[in-house]
Amino acid sequence: MTAVQALAMPAAGAAFETITIQRRALRDDDVRIEIAYAGICHSDIHTVREEWGPITFPLVPGHEIAGVVAEVGPAVTRVRVGDRVGVGCMVDSCGTCDACKDGQENYCRNGAVWTYGSDDVDGTTTQGGYSQQVVVAERFVARVPDGIGLDVAAPLLCAGITTYNPLKRFGAGPGTTVAVVGLGGLGHMGVKIAVAMGAEVTVMSRTRAKEADARELGASGYVATGEEGALEAVASTYDIVLNTVSADLPVQAYLETTRPRGALVNVGLPPSDFVVSPWSVVGGSRIVAGSNIGGMALTQEMLDFCAQHDIAATIETISADDVDAAYDRVVAGDVHYRAVIDVTSIGAAATTSAH
Ligand code: NAP
Ligand code: ZN
């Protein structure tokens, strides 16, 4: 076991604290990663604020992890000490069910082990990436291509794959129109990836505040959804509407902006159910879909795609002391467009508080 410093939420409604956690001794196929950066995903916030149900505290969130390999088990073949790597939302899966065999570990029939707050195969609860190190089975380690900095790579491990997966599956590309709803961490990656795939992209955001940024990211259209009649004006327009919003939304109104046979793909996970009328699904033979991150092969494909197209996340780098404030800024939609923790500051914060 190795003791490492980590940033944990100690109790519901509390502030983050630096604690010591244990990382397991390396198994044969394990990789020890010295973490450099960890992105703050809205899922971290939903989780520690118990918006998805009760959790066990203390919890170290973080599933957008980028760092350098520090040690490998004897059976590891794909990565070596010194390699730049990433870990996303999963750290294990059964590996034997049809989903795993098909590269869809994210839909493992026996339940994937999520990177934090999940029951691990050894009976412990997983702790995430807001920490100095993580130990992960090689199967769940992705290579960060040369040319993508570790800081801007970290958010690709969740925000990147979560948007790449449905855009690819529903056919974003030349001649298609894509609307991305919500310009946050997922949304801004959705725009960059859909543009790189060759689609014509529109951003749907609450106000005009993000319009200039959206156009800089490559969007040719912009809908300020808070303006009267904004969605009605783009009824039946898009092949794919990718909803990344973290809050409850009148999904019906967005579904009606898809073309006949188009798809509304929900990746946002707000607390409440949504309702759609059978008429709007049947009338245009529309698809209401969802998507959850992506398998490991697709995650690697996404990273390579980003390197090839010279894209990565647009980030604000923060220190361990800023995480509580950053959570509030994420919820307010103020972060442009992903807050990423400089993990070296976690140890530094601990040293300071010890004096
Ligand atoms: P984020 O950075 O906070 O972005 C969410 C965006 O939603 C905001 O930037 C904002 O965009 C919009 N929004 C926020 N509050 C709103 C409100 N009350 N009404 C309308 N729009 C609002 O969050 P994120 O990290 O991208 O995550 C987004 C959601 O996806 C979360 O629910 C998260 O849990 C979920 N998620 C799902 C997966 C998956 O695999 N399916 C993976 C990761 C995350 P504007 O300011 O442009 O309006
Ligand atoms: Zn996430």
Side-chain angles (χ1 to χ4, degrees), residues 41-43 46 52 158 162 182-186 205-206 210 244-247 249 267-269 291-293 330 333 338:
C41 176
H42 206 118
S43 300
H46 289 310
W52 290 340
C158 176
T162 300
L183 197 61
L186 266 55
S205 182
R206 288 167 291 182
K210 296 178 181 175
T244 75
V245 171
S246 50
L249 209 63
V267 290
L269 288 164
S291 190
N292 189 27
I293 53 167
V330 172
R338 196 53 128 190

Side-chain angles (χ1 to χ4, degrees), residues 4 16 39 41 147 241 279 343 346 353:
V4 301
F16 275 98
C41 176
V241 176
W279 291 96
V343 166
I346 294 178
S353 64

Side-chain angles (χ1 to χ4, degrees), residues 98-123:
D98 57 347
C100 285
K101 282 189 168 152
D102 192 34
Q104 316 275 351
E105 301 89 350
N106 47 324
Y107 304 123
C108 174
R109 301 280 193 168
N110 296 303
V113 179
W114 307 111
T115 303
Y116 57 81
S118 196
D119 294 334
D120 208 341
V121 290
D122 59 8

